[in-house]
């Protein structure tokens, strides 16, 4: 009978199989692990913020230390990182990330300024490696197709749930100390190395490397002049070295500065269609998460909680669930207009800020719904941005475009980090002045 469960189930099964037709299980597994492990340390560090700096130092200090080094790497590395092949840079990032986590874990637990500074150096090192890993793995999806990007997006979404869950499990359920937990997590980057060398099929990368280099040149007058001395040949390795050109000629300062200038020209063309909407959605959602959400509190009697500190981690868990679902949805659902969900995220920020000021939602469950919707929008813009680049940017420009666009999310989080500190202080002060002092009771 049409419309019955018996008739619908085969149709949905066929649609599911069609969505994954042509997917390589090893590629999907490798990129899912890349996404999880590259992002999970970022989440673990944020989850451990209070344990790292104590209750007096603002948690925004950890957020900024956890994002600014990665932002700097994402901003600068796309213009020269193609000189380092993937089989070198991925192990380097993994080892340096391990060292950063070890520095955090082995630094004495004192909350003195000097000890906190040492911990923040470790946080910064892990952040820089995570930023380099993200732009590298996004660039790597160029060689493995749409399913690799979908798996990467799903893995980054899963990292939010897994990271916060692992830290909670280790420190609360299993009763492990903060140092023991962080020491255990410091070896997670080894999974990235194993996934690259043991799980990921290397043939697509070898084939592309034998045909051309990663970033193609934009023609300039200087190039035309050089053509009088000989024809340029296609690069044949990830180092970008033409087969007939000595390596030292590529490393001349003039040639390297020309390459940077060319890549800056490329990045300008990416800003409005791809970078800006991703930037906007991250500014809005991280301002909500770090600045507005801590003030979205209700009387305990009308909530499912017994203490005020339970609101914020619950909002974060619901948000991460939305992110995971939307970042995993690319095989089934795509958007092409990136600005619409970005503006909807701004609307979320405005509505939740107004509620923090004027308290017009009657129940915390409405805020739960907005938080889940916020995660859906953020994850959807992330995966759709890189999917649009994969579909629309010419193949010879695609690897650079995927890597360069990754700076937008870090830029948005940096801006939101500063905004959120002002937002939280302003909103909490407003609430206290108007007779709602719940935000002052969070640490009670």
């Amino acid at each position: 009978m049409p419309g019955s469960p018996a008739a619908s189930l085969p149709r949905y099964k066929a649609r599911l199989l069609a969505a994954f037709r042509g997917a390589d299980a090893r590629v999907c597994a490798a990129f899912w692990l890349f996404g999880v492990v590259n992002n999970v340390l970022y989440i673990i560090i944020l989850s451990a913020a209070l344990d790292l700096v104590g209750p007096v130092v603002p948690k925004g200090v950890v957020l900024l230390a956890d994002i600014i080094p990665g932002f700097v790497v994402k901003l600068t590395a796309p213009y020269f990182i193609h000189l380092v092949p993937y089989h070198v840079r991925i192990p380097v990032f993994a080892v340096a990330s391990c060292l950063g986590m070890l520095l955090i874990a082995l630094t004495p637990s004192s909350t003195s300024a000097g000890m906190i500074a040492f911990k923040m150096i470790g946080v910064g090192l892990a952040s820089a490696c995570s930023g380099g890993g993200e732009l590298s793995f996004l660039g790597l999806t160029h060689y493995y197709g749409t399913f690799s990007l979908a798996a990467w997006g799903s893995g980054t979404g899963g990292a939010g749930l897994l990271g916060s869950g692992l830290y909670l499990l280790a420190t609360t359920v299993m009763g492990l100390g903060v140092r023991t937990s962080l020491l255990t997590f410091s070896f997670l980057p080894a999974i990235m190395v194993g996934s690259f060398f043991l799980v990921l099929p290397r043939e697509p990368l070898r084939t592309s490397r034998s045909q051309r280099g990663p970033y193609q040149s934009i023609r300039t007058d200087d190039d035309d002049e050089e053509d009088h001395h000989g024809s340029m040949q296609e690069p044949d390795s990830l180092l970008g070295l033409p087969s007939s050109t000595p390596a030292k000629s590529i490393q001349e300062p003039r040639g390297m500065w020309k390459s940077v200038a060319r890549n800056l020209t490329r990045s300008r063309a990416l800003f409005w269609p791809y970078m800006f909407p991703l930037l906007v959605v991250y500014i809005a959602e991280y301002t909500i998460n770090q600045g507005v959400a801590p003030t979205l509190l209700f009387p305990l009697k009308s909530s499912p909680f017994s203490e005020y500190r339970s609101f914020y981690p619950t909002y974060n868990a619901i948000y991460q669930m939305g992110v995971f679902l939307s970042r995993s949805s690319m095989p089934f659902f795509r958007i092409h207009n990136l600005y619409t969900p970005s503006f909807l995220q701004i609307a979320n920020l405005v509505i939740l800020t107004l509620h923090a000021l004027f308290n017009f939602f009657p129940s915390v469950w409405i805020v739960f719904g907005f938080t889940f919707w916020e995660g859906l929008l953020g994850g959807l813009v992330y995966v759709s941005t890189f999917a649009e680049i994969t579909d629309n940017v010419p193949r010879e420009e695609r690897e650079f475009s995927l890597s360069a666009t990754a700076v937008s999310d870090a830029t948005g989080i940096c801006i939101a980090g500063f905004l959120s500190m002002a937002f939280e202080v302003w909103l909490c002060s407003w609430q206290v002045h108007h007779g709602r002092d719940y935000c002052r009771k969070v640490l009670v």
Side-chain angles (χ1 to χ4, degrees), residues 60-79:
V61 171
V62 180
L63 173 64
L64 292 174
D66 205 14
I67 193 63
I68 289 179
F71 162 70
V72 173
V73 170
K74 291 180 182 180
L75 185 65
T76 58
Y79 306 103

mmCIF file of all heavy atoms in Angstrom, residues 60-79:
data_model
loop_
_atom_site.group_PDB
_atom_site.id
_atom_site.type_symbol
_atom_site.label_atom_id
_atom_site.label_comp_id
_atom_site.label_asym_id
_atom_site.label_seq_id
_atom_site.Cartn_x
_atom_site.Cartn_y
_atom_site.Cartn_z
ATOM 1 N N GLY A 60 37.810 33.344 29.078
ATOM 2 C CA GLY A 60 38.120 33.873 27.751
ATOM 3 C C GLY A 60 39.605 33.865 27.450
ATOM 4 O O GLY A 60 40.005 33.832 26.286
ATOM 5 N N VAL A 61 40.441 33.887 28.482
ATOM 6 C CA VAL A 61 41.892 33.805 28.282
ATOM 7 C C VAL A 61 42.250 32.482 27.604
ATOM 8 O O VAL A 61 43.063 32.438 26.672
ATOM 9 C CB VAL A 61 42.634 33.942 29.627
ATOM 10 C CG1 VAL A 61 44.117 33.645 29.466
ATOM 11 C CG2 VAL A 61 42.430 35.340 30.199
ATOM 12 N N VAL A 62 41.647 31.397 28.074
ATOM 13 C CA VAL A 62 41.914 30.090 27.475
ATOM 14 C C VAL A 62 41.358 30.039 26.052
ATOM 15 O O VAL A 62 41.997 29.511 25.138
ATOM 16 C CB VAL A 62 41.302 28.969 28.339
ATOM 17 C CG1 VAL A 62 41.593 27.605 27.715
ATOM 18 C CG2 VAL A 62 41.856 29.030 29.755
ATOM 19 N N LEU A 63 40.154 30.603 25.850
ATOM 20 C CA LEU A 63 39.564 30.616 24.506
ATOM 21 C C LEU A 63 40.479 31.327 23.523
ATOM 22 O O LEU A 63 40.743 30.823 22.421
ATOM 23 C CB LEU A 63 38.192 31.292 24.546
ATOM 24 C CG LEU A 63 37.530 31.533 23.171
ATOM 25 C CD1 LEU A 63 37.233 30.205 22.490
ATOM 26 C CD2 LEU A 63 36.280 32.366 23.313
ATOM 27 N N LEU A 64 40.998 32.492 23.905
ATOM 28 C CA LEU A 64 41.853 33.249 22.992
ATOM 29 C C LEU A 64 43.182 32.533 22.765
ATOM 30 O O LEU A 64 43.685 32.506 21.638
ATOM 31 C CB LEU A 64 42.081 34.651 23.541
ATOM 32 C CG LEU A 64 40.832 35.547 23.553
ATOM 33 C CD1 LEU A 64 41.122 36.874 24.239
ATOM 34 C CD2 LEU A 64 40.315 35.778 22.147
ATOM 35 N N ALA A 65 43.758 31.933 23.826
ATOM 36 C CA ALA A 65 44.996 31.173 23.649
ATOM 37 C C ALA A 65 44.771 29.940 22.786
ATOM 38 O O ALA A 65 45.686 29.470 22.110
ATOM 39 C CB ALA A 65 45.560 30.759 25.007
ATOM 40 N N ASP A 66 43.533 29.442 22.788
ATOM 41 C CA ASP A 66 43.190 28.231 22.045
ATOM 42 C C ASP A 66 42.823 28.528 20.603
ATOM 43 O O ASP A 66 42.678 27.606 19.803
ATOM 44 C CB ASP A 66 42.014 27.527 22.739
ATOM 45 C CG ASP A 66 41.972 26.034 22.447
ATOM 46 O OD1 ASP A 66 42.985 25.502 21.930
ATOM 47 O OD2 ASP A 66 40.946 25.401 22.736
ATOM 48 N N ILE A 67 42.676 29.809 20.234
ATOM 49 C CA ILE A 67 42.250 30.109 18.872
ATOM 50 C C ILE A 67 43.201 31.045 18.135
ATOM 51 O O ILE A 67 43.401 30.901 16.925
ATOM 52 C CB ILE A 67 40.812 30.702 18.863
ATOM 53 C CG1 ILE A 67 40.246 30.708 17.434
ATOM 54 C CG2 ILE A 67 40.785 32.091 19.478
ATOM 55 C CD1 ILE A 67 40.097 29.332 16.833
ATOM 56 N N ILE A 68 43.847 32.003 18.830
ATOM 57 C CA ILE A 68 44.663 32.992 18.118
ATOM 58 C C ILE A 68 45.849 32.362 17.388
ATOM 59 O O ILE A 68 46.096 32.686 16.222
ATOM 60 C CB ILE A 68 45.121 34.107 19.078
ATOM 61 C CG1 ILE A 68 43.917 34.991 19.448
ATOM 62 C CG2 ILE A 68 46.225 34.956 18.452
ATOM 63 C CD1 ILE A 68 44.246 36.104 20.418
ATOM 64 N N PRO A 69 46.648 31.446 18.003
ATOM 65 C CA PRO A 69 47.742 30.836 17.232
ATOM 66 C C PRO A 69 47.245 30.085 15.993
ATOM 67 O O PRO A 69 47.861 30.171 14.926
ATOM 68 C CB PRO A 69 48.396 29.884 18.235
ATOM 69 C CG PRO A 69 48.058 30.468 19.576
ATOM 70 C CD PRO A 69 46.673 31.004 19.411
ATOM 71 N N GLY A 70 46.132 29.363 16.137
ATOM 72 C CA GLY A 70 45.570 28.692 14.967
ATOM 73 C C GLY A 70 45.118 29.671 13.911
ATOM 74 O O GLY A 70 45.262 29.428 12.705
ATOM 75 N N PHE A 71 44.565 30.811 14.343
ATOM 76 C CA PHE A 71 44.152 31.853 13.413
ATOM 77 C C PHE A 71 45.346 32.385 12.637
ATOM 78 O O PHE A 71 45.283 32.567 11.408
ATOM 79 C CB PHE A 71 43.460 32.981 14.190
ATOM 80 C CG PHE A 71 43.376 34.280 13.449
ATOM 81 C CD1 PHE A 71 42.542 34.414 12.353
ATOM 82 C CD2 PHE A 71 44.139 35.368 13.850
ATOM 83 C CE1 PHE A 71 42.463 35.615 11.671
ATOM 84 C CE2 PHE A 71 44.066 36.566 13.171
ATOM 85 C CZ PHE A 71 43.220 36.690 12.074
ATOM 86 N N VAL A 72 46.460 32.637 13.318
ATOM 87 C CA VAL A 72 47.653 33.152 12.640
ATOM 88 C C VAL A 72 48.159 32.142 11.609
ATOM 89 O O VAL A 72 48.529 32.510 10.477
ATOM 90 C CB VAL A 72 48.755 33.482 13.665
ATOM 91 C CG1 VAL A 72 50.063 33.850 12.968
ATOM 92 C CG2 VAL A 72 48.305 34.624 14.570
ATOM 93 N N VAL A 73 48.154 30.864 11.973
ATOM 94 C CA VAL A 73 48.594 29.825 11.034
ATOM 95 C C VAL A 73 47.667 29.781 9.823
ATOM 96 O O VAL A 73 48.121 29.737 8.666
ATOM 97 C CB VAL A 73 48.630 28.452 11.736
ATOM 98 C CG1 VAL A 73 48.839 27.336 10.715
ATOM 99 C CG2 VAL A 73 49.749 28.421 12.771
ATOM 100 N N LYS A 74 46.359 29.808 10.054
ATOM 101 C CA LYS A 74 45.413 29.763 8.936
ATOM 102 C C LYS A 74 45.525 30.996 8.048
ATOM 103 O O LYS A 74 45.272 30.926 6.842
ATOM 104 C CB LYS A 74 43.982 29.639 9.464
ATOM 105 C CG LYS A 74 43.663 28.299 10.105
ATOM 106 C CD LYS A 74 42.227 28.276 10.594
ATOM 107 C CE LYS A 74 41.869 26.986 11.295
ATOM 108 N NZ LYS A 74 40.463 26.978 11.756
ATOM 109 N N LEU A 75 45.880 32.122 8.645
ATOM 110 C CA LEU A 75 45.985 33.364 7.883
ATOM 111 C C LEU A 75 47.215 33.380 6.991
ATOM 112 O O LEU A 75 47.174 33.924 5.880
ATOM 113 C CB LEU A 75 46.036 34.550 8.856
ATOM 114 C CG LEU A 75 46.029 35.957 8.260
ATOM 115 C CD1 LEU A 75 44.720 36.235 7.546
ATOM 116 C CD2 LEU A 75 46.277 36.994 9.350
ATOM 117 N N THR A 76 48.310 32.777 7.440
ATOM 118 C CA THR A 76 49.578 32.898 6.722
ATOM 119 C C THR A 76 49.990 31.634 5.964
ATOM 120 O O THR A 76 50.562 31.721 4.873
ATOM 121 C CB THR A 76 50.697 33.260 7.712
ATOM 122 O OG1 THR A 76 50.775 32.254 8.745
ATOM 123 C CG2 THR A 76 50.421 34.613 8.355
ATOM 124 N N ALA A 77 49.702 30.464 6.536
ATOM 125 C CA ALA A 77 50.253 29.216 5.981
ATOM 126 C C ALA A 77 49.794 28.879 4.567
ATOM 127 O O ALA A 77 50.572 28.286 3.810
ATOM 128 C CB ALA A 77 49.948 28.046 6.922
ATOM 129 N N PRO A 78 48.542 29.192 4.155
ATOM 130 C CA PRO A 78 48.148 28.803 2.798
ATOM 131 C C PRO A 78 49.046 29.355 1.700
ATOM 132 O O PRO A 78 49.053 28.828 0.590
ATOM 133 C CB PRO A 78 46.723 29.376 2.675
ATOM 134 C CG PRO A 78 46.206 29.419 4.066
ATOM 135 C CD PRO A 78 47.414 29.778 4.894
ATOM 136 N N TYR A 79 49.822 30.395 2.005
ATOM 137 C CA TYR A 79 50.635 31.031 0.979
ATOM 138 C C TYR A 79 52.014 30.396 0.835
ATOM 139 O O TYR A 79 52.756 30.748 -0.068
ATOM 140 C CB TYR A 79 50.759 32.535 1.289
ATOM 141 C CG TYR A 79 49.404 33.177 1.463
ATOM 142 C CD1 TYR A 79 48.906 33.478 2.725
ATOM 143 C CD2 TYR A 79 48.590 33.422 0.358
ATOM 144 C CE1 TYR A 79 47.651 34.028 2.888
ATOM 145 C CE2 TYR A 79 47.326 33.962 0.519
ATOM 146 C CZ TYR A 79 46.863 34.262 1.776
ATOM 147 O OH TYR A 79 45.605 34.787 1.924
#
